């Protein structure tokens, strides 16, 4: 029997009061909030960077999956939006995005049918995906040729031990020749993701991969009609990608496309560290003026103080990223008024599904019902926990709810 209730169950972050203020508990907490001023700063800063370097920007949309953000990035000048799946491509097109780079392989009948229908429904949208094997290329060609369509693709270059992608230039060249003979495909360029390279000092490996990619692009040029798309760059090495590719010999009609994603809200963790390192090595970024700033916060309530040195707040693994460090307190409020938060006074030490455990320094004044604001690390895995995030001004007044399409 289907259960029916007269009680409306709100989604997370549902507003309960008009003209709501997060610090006045006018919304259900915990809530993920985005400061509008910081968000707009980040969108503008990265677009200025791409424009200054003379490259195109296709932010990776899987970070936010938020139509409002897609539209703001496109309005600011983004050349396209990057995605990782057919479902994400659909979300981008529904949001009004005019160029979608699916930087992943398209496999599976239902996924191919989804893309085919999207091409019919949004004929003015430029959609591209990646291929790295002869078999996938043949399957895609047969399917889209049968639909009377041509699928635009990019060869993906990978690294041994990494994720997808041809493992060397000879494989990539063989694949490009094969694509050129298939009726349902059209080769548009070359894609890679240098972020799969890790270690104590991955920069030399990143630079070598980028040089090899530029050389490979020249070899693939005869198989691409018109503009050649050469794309890479996550949120860590986008300056290095620009440096290497702008200086390299490459196809005559080459468009360099960078695809950072997490810059959109930045963070207080791994991407803050990465950006500081980038600013230290990149004079172009320094000369732009300003910088990226953390825009995404988690606001939660202290629900228990069971021991003098321990408090529990009402968020957990269901609400935030925890893979790259636990959210850490950045501000403390009581009855809507700010309290002093000394460095190290309150520290997140553990997390469960719905609880986060805090270590309190001696003398810390933390009470049940207090509000704590937390900075996060790795925004992707916080965004995907929420059906809606709250866009606020700097005083935590809610401007609107930003619905996500995860």
């Amino acid at each position: 029997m289907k259960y029916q209730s007269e009680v409306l169950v709100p989604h997370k972050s549902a507003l309960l009061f008009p003209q709501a203020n997060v610090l006045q508990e006018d919304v259900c907490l915990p809530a993920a909030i985005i400061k509008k001023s910081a968000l707009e700063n980040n969108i503008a800063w990265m677009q200025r960077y791409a424009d200054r370097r003379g490259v195109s920007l296709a932010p990776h949309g899987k970070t936010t999956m938020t139509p409002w953000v897609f539209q703001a990035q496109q309005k600011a000048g983004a050349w396209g939006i990057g995605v990782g799946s057919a479902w994400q491509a659909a979300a981008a097109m529904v949001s009004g995005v005019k160029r979608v780079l699916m930087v992943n392989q398209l496999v599976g009948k239902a996924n191919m049918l989804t893309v085919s229908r999207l091409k019919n429904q949004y004929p003015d949208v430029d959609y591209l995906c990646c291929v790295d094997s002869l078999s996938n290329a043949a399957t895609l060609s047969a399917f889209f040729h049968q639909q009377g369509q041509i699928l635009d693709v990019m060869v993906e270059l990978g690294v041994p031990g990494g994720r997808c992608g041809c493992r060397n230039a000879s494989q990539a060249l063989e694949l490009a020749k094969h694509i050129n003979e298939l009726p349902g495909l059209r080769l548009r360029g070359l894609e890679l993701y240098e972020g799969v390279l890790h270690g104590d000092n991955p920069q030399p490996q990143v630079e070598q991969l980028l040089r090899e990619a530029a050389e490979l692009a020249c070899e693939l040029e005869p198989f691409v009609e018109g503009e050649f798309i050469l794309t890479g760059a996550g949120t860590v090495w986008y300056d290095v990608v620009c440096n290497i590719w702008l200086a390299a010999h490459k196809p005559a009609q080459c468009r360099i496309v960078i695809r950072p994603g997490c810059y959109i809200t930045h963070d207080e963790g791994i991407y803050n560290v990465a950006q500081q390192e980038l600013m230290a090595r990149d004079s172009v970024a320094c000369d732009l003026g300003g910088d990226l700033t953390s825009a995404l916060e988690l606001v939660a309530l202290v629900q228990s103080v069971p021991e003098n040195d321990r408090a529990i707040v009402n968020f957990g693994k269901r609400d935030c990223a925890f893979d790259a460090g636990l959210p850490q307190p950045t501000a403390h409020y009581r009855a809507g008024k700010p309290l002093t938060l000394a460095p190290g006074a309150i520290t997140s030490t553990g997390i469960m599904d719905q609880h986060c455990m805090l270590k309190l320094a001696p003398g810390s004044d933390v009470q049940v019902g207090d509000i704590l604001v937390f900075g996060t690390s790795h925004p992707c895995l916080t965004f995907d926990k929420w059906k809606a995030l709250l866009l606020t001004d700097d005083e935590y007044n809610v401007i609107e709810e930003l619905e996500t399409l995860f």
Side-chain angles (χ1 to χ4, degrees):
M1 177 171 49
K2 184 177 179 181
Y3 175 75
Q4 293 183 341
S5 172
E6 295 180 358
V7 178
L8 175 63
V9 180
H11 59 62
K12 291 162 74 174
S13 293
L15 302 180
L16 299 183
F17 300 92
Q19 299 178 327
N21 181 279
V22 176
L23 302 181
Q24 297 299 329
E25 302 178 38
D26 294 337
V27 304
C28 293
L29 298 179
I33 70 105
I34 299 176
K35 294 285 186 63
K36 185 180 181 183
S37 60
L39 180 68
E40 291 177 338
N41 169 81
N42 295 346
I43 291 173
W45 191 94
M46 189 60 76
Q47 190 63 54
R48 289 203 312 275
Y49 183 87
D51 293 344
R52 181 71 61 87
R53 299 308 301 264
V55 302
S56 296
L57 178 63
H60 210 340
K62 63 94 175 173
T63 300
T64 70
M65 289 299 292
T66 303
W68 191 97
V69 173
F70 292 169
Q71 292 160 7
Q73 290 172 314
Q74 189 167 253
K75 184 177 180 180
W79 178 78
I81 293 292
V83 299
S85 69
W87 167 252
Q88 292 174 6
M93 292 185 197
V94 167
S95 303
V97 173
K98 296 303 182 183
R99 182 174 289 105
V100 177
L101 274 62
M102 190 179 124
V103 286
N104 214 344
Q105 281 64 37
L106 177 61
V107 295
K109 181 174 64 176
N111 287 327
M112 290 188 290
L113 183 58
T114 295
V115 169
S116 177
R117 289 173 175 172
L118 288 171
K119 288 172 69 66
N120 286 330
Q121 187 173 357
Y122 300 97
D124 59 334
V125 173
D126 190 15
Y127 167 89
L128 301 87
C129 66
C130 294
V131 291
D132 67 358
S133 69
L134 300 175
S135 61
N136 184 220
T139 300
L140 291 172
S141 177
F143 179 87
F144 284 93
H145 183 61
Q146 186 177 35
Q147 308 302 314
Q149 297 171 322
I150 294 178
L151 180 69
D152 290 313
V153 300
M154 301 174 289
V155 168
E156 180 167 17
L157 179 65
V159 299
R163 56 187 199 191
C164 304
C166 298
R167 285 335 196 214
N168 54 57
S170 61
Q171 289 180 3
L173 184 57
E174 180 186 5
L175 177 57
K177 293 177 180 177
H178 184 61
I179 291 170
N180 195 49
E181 298 170 352
L182 295 173
L185 300 185
R186 176 168 51 216
L187 185 61
R188 297 280 299 279
L190 178 67
E191 183 274 341
L192 60 76
Y193 175 57
E194 74 292 338
V196 297
L197 294 168
H198 300 288
D200 293 336
N201 181 25
Q203 185 170 341
Q205 293 175 276
V206 169
E207 292 178 347
Q208 181 60 30
L209 175 64
L210 295 169
R211 292 189 186 97
E212 292 173 359
E215 293 175 2
L216 175 59
C218 293
E219 294 186 74
L220 300 184
E221 183 178 11
F223 305 106
V224 175
E225 183 178 346
E227 181 179 80
F228 190 107
I229 296 171
L230 180 59
T231 178
T235 312
V236 175
W237 299 109
Y238 57 88
D239 65 316
V240 174
V241 171
C242 291
N243 291 341
I244 299 297
W245 282 352
L246 288 170
H249 178 64
K250 49 190 175 290
Q253 298 183 55
C254 185
R255 180 185 293 275
I256 297 172
V257 181
I258 60 173
R259 307 190 314 271
C262 291
Y263 79 90
I264 188 68
T265 59
H266 199 47
D267 70 9
E268 298 281 0
I270 56 174
Y271 289 108
N272 184 44
V273 172
Q275 181 69 3
Q276 290 176 1
E277 293 174 349
L278 183 146
M279 294 293 283
R281 67 179 180 248
D282 185 14
S283 60
V284 176
C286 293
D287 291 344
L288 283 179
D291 197 358
L292 300 177
T293 185
S294 183
L296 175 64
E297 296 176 341
L298 192 65
V299 183
L301 290 159
V302 176
Q303 67 182 63
S304 179
V305 187
E307 303 164 21
N308 290 335
D309 64 348
R310 187 176 182 84
I312 312 298
V313 288
N314 68 334
F315 74 82
K317 294 180 180 179
R318 301 293 180 91
D319 307 300
C320 65
F322 54 91
D323 63 313
L326 297 178
Q328 295 295 336
T330 60
H332 184 187
Y333 295 87
R334 181 175 298 154
K337 304 297 182 182
L339 302 179
T340 299
L341 180 60
I346 308 175
T347 306
S348 300
T349 58
I351 193 168
M352 300 178 73
D353 284 359
Q354 306 287 175
H355 303 81
C356 182
M357 281 64 75
L358 307 179
K359 174 73 174 178
L360 308 180
S364 296
D365 178 19
V366 176
Q367 299 179 13
V368 172
D370 285 358
I371 287 178
L372 292 174
V373 178
F374 292 78
T376 65
S377 182
H378 193 188
C380 296
L381 298 187
T382 294
F383 267 94
D384 68 11
K385 313 283 188 189
W386 298 85
K387 293 181 178 179
L389 296 90
L390 302 180
L391 187 70
T392 76
D393 63 18
D394 290 346
E395 285 71 46
Y396 293 90
N397 295 304
V398 178
I399 299 170
E400 62 181 294
E401 288 188 280
L402 306 183
E403 294 187 355
T404 64
L405 295 178
F406 287 103

